[in-house]
Amino acid sequence: MDMEQFWGNLAVMLGALSGFLYGGPRYLQPKKPLYASMIVLGITSLMLGRLYQCVRIAAGFPETDGFQIGMLGVAGASSFFFSSNYSQIDSLVDDGGPAFRRYRRIALLGPLLAILLYLPLAFGPQSVGSKASQAVLTVFLAAAFYFHVKHLLIPDVDYGVVRCLRHFNALALALGGFLMVEMAADAYGNKLLLLAVRMVITALAAAVVPVMDRGVKAWRT
């Protein structure tokens, strides 16, 4: 068993678990804000993905070898983050008219960032299957990045909905970025960078839900 990989994935899992334990009792029940529930489910997806990784490594299988189910943790988290911003918030701040066209264009910097972070993976030493799987994850992350960037910059609306969630969007954007750096560090076998990045990911995974919670409470009052 690769102990470094096991403990690194376990740390991230525990960070995400703390987010789930904080947000689950608050929001995974009826008549709670759907936005917050989706963010908690996103962190739960990340947690379950890392739980699978830990079990996989403990069983003696390599952490990465083309596609494996643990990758769905990142895809699930990104999907929930994307869906929460797209369906719950974006229509409140952008009517699709020309007044907000500038912010829609600036938001494209999010997907561009995802593409740039993928380039080291595209030219890395891993297998074609791994590169293809990482490309799929990049698509999910890029979609979430678009709205994270957009909602960091777009003007606020009544009740401060966007302003209250800017800190969450900043943390979620950072979390996605470091998840991509983690993939690159792992692909190139840079153990020192991988350790440092996983420490950051652990902290971000633990912080995302509490920060979102404060934002949601602020715009509900």
Side-chain angles (χ1 to χ4, degrees):
M1 181 173 70
D2 189 330
M3 296 302 297
E4 290 182 359
Q5 292 284 15
F6 178 81
W7 289 113
N9 279 280
L10 181 64
V12 175
M13 188 201 77
L14 292 175
L17 175 63
S18 72
F20 167 75
L21 293 176
Y22 181 96
R26 288 172 169 81
Y27 292 114
L28 297 184
Q29 52 183 304
K31 299 181 180 180
K32 293 297 182 178
L34 180 59
Y35 181 91
S37 299
M38 295 176 82
I39 301 306
V40 175
L41 289 171
I43 287 297
T44 304
S45 295
L46 183 62
M47 177 193 74
L48 293 175
R50 294 308 170 120
L51 174 60
Y52 175 87
Q53 295 278 60
C54 290
V55 173
R56 178 185 175 89
I57 294 167
F61 293 98
E63 183 193 17
T64 55
D65 183 19
F67 172 79
Q68 42 91 3
I69 295 174
M71 293 181 171
L72 295 178
V74 175
S78 302
S79 296
F80 278 115
F81 291 173
F82 165 82
S83 299
S84 62
N85 275 329
Y86 174 74
S87 62
Q88 295 293 303
I89 301 296
D90 196 63
S91 60
L92 299 176
V93 297
D94 183 2
D95 59 6
F100 296 102
R101 184 179 295 123
R102 177 163 65 100
Y103 297 100
R104 292 193 291 271
R105 290 173 176 171
I106 294 173
L108 293 173
L109 291 173
L112 177 61
L113 172 63
I115 292 170
L116 291 175
L117 289 172
Y118 176 72
L119 289 179
L121 293 166
F123 297 101
Q126 67 273 35
S127 68
V128 174
S130 292
K131 291 179 182 180
S133 300
Q134 291 157 351
V136 172
L137 293 184
T138 300
V139 172
F140 281 96
L141 287 160
F145 283 10
Y146 174 85
F147 286 104
H148 292 322
V149 173
K150 184 178 182 181
H151 293 174
L152 280 172
L153 301 174
I154 200 166
D156 207 353
V157 293
D158 293 341
Y159 307 110
V161 173
V162 177
R163 174 181 54 80
C164 292
L165 295 172
R166 292 201 202 280
H167 289 115
F168 157 72
N169 279 295
L171 285 182
L173 178 63
L175 175 60
F178 277 104
L179 286 169
M180 294 204 67
V181 174
E182 179 193 26
M183 287 190 285
D186 198 12
Y188 285 90
N190 190 327
K191 293 185 178 181
L192 183 60
L193 177 60
L194 188 60
L195 173 63
V197 167
R198 281 180 171 161
M199 291 174 63
V200 175
I201 292 172
T202 300
L204 290 171
V208 160
V209 173
V211 169
M212 175 277 298
D213 178 50
R214 288 196 293 271
V216 169
K217 286 179 179 177
W219 60 257
R220 293 182 70 198
T221 56

